[in-house]
Amino acid sequence: MHIVDGALSNPVVIGGAVLAAGGVAMGLRALTLERIPAAGVLSASFFVASLIHVPIGPSSVHLILNGLAGLVLGWAAFPALFVGLLLQAVFFGFGGLTVLGVNAVNIALPAVLTGLLFGPMIRRGSPLSAALWAGIGGAFAIVGTTAMVAGSLALSGEEFIAAAHLVFVAHIPVMAIEGFLTAFAVLLARRVKPELFTTFAEVRT
C-alpha cells in the first residue's frame, strides 16, 4: 500500500505532510503510558506484516493490520503506524521519505476512523460479537486505505487513474484476509486481556 517517491504531485505530498503532522500530534496526546506497550507491539506487527509485498505500479499490495491498530489505540495509532512507515522507508526503501506523510495519512487515518466507528461495539458486546464487528472494521480500514491511496494517485495526474483502479481491485482479497485476522485477534484479546479496549475508552473520555 506504500506509494513510492516521485509518484505524487507536490501539492499532494505537501498536503499529506501537513495532515500527517497534525495526526501524529493528536496521536501523541492520546498516547498514555498504558498505551505505549500496545503501540509498540502493533507498530512492530505492521512493520513485519507489510514487509512481504507485491509491487503494483507506483504502489504495492500487502497486509497492514491498521484496523486492529485503530481498534486498540484510537488516535495513538497515528504515531505508531508513522514510526513503522519511517523505519521501513529508512531501512528497506519501502515507500520513501518524501511521501512519508501521504503514506501515513492513507494508512493511519482509516485506522483511527475504524476505532471511532467500531470501537464502541467491540467494548460493549460479547467476545463473539466483538469479533464480528472487528472483522467488519478490519475490512473497512483496508477499504479506506485503498480508497485514499487511489485518490492520492488520481489527484497527482490522469496517468495514474488506471493504476488507482488496479490498486483498489488488487486489495479486495486483502480486505477479506485483514477482516479475518482482525476478528481473530480481537476475539483472543477480549477473552484474555479485555482491558486493552477498556483503557482505550477511558483515554477517549
Side-chain angles (χ1 to χ4, degrees):
M1 202 77 74
H2 301 66
I3 298 177
V4 299
D5 275 332
L8 301 178
S9 64
N10 289 335
V12 174
V13 170
I14 295 171
V18 171
L19 291 174
V24 169
M26 288 281 293
L28 290 175
R29 291 180 58 189
L31 187 60
T32 62
L33 288 176
E34 293 80 6
R35 296 283 83 194
I36 290 177
V41 170
L42 288 166
S43 181
S45 299
F46 162 76
F47 180 86
V48 173
S50 55
L51 284 180
I52 303 174
H53 64 286
V54 178
I56 292 187
S59 184
S60 58
V61 175
H62 54 77
L63 296 177
I64 302 177
L65 302 179
N66 58 335
L68 179 61
L71 290 171
V72 175
L73 299 174
W75 273 103
F78 226 110
L81 294 170
F82 179 86
V83 169
L85 285 166
L86 176 61
L87 293 176
Q88 288 179 342
V90 171
F91 290 111
F92 299 102
F94 294 167
L97 293 177
T98 62
V99 292
L100 180 60
V102 175
N103 284 329
V105 171
N106 289 346
I107 291 175
L109 186 56
V112 173
L113 291 176
T114 299
L116 294 174
L117 292 173
F118 298 96
M121 281 80 82
I122 288 174
R123 291 189 296 276
R124 294 194 202 109
S126 66
L128 286 176
S129 173
L132 175 61
W133 285 112
I136 297 172
F140 170 83
I142 299 300
V143 172
T145 294
T146 305
M148 293 188 69
V149 170
S152 299
L153 293 171
L155 288 172
S156 296
E158 294 183 358
E159 63 273 19
F160 291 116
I161 292 179
H165 290 155
L166 180 60
V167 165
F168 190 88
V169 172
H171 276 87
I172 292 176
V174 179
M175 297 171 194
I177 296 171
E178 291 258 354
F180 174 79
L181 291 176
T182 305
F184 179 79
V186 169
L187 177 63
L188 180 63
R190 276 294 308 272
R191 286 179 171 171
V192 302
K193 198 173 178 62
E195 61 269 21
L196 272 177
F197 306 101
T198 304
T199 304
F200 170 38
E202 292 171 352
V203 169
R204 285 184 60 197
T205 55

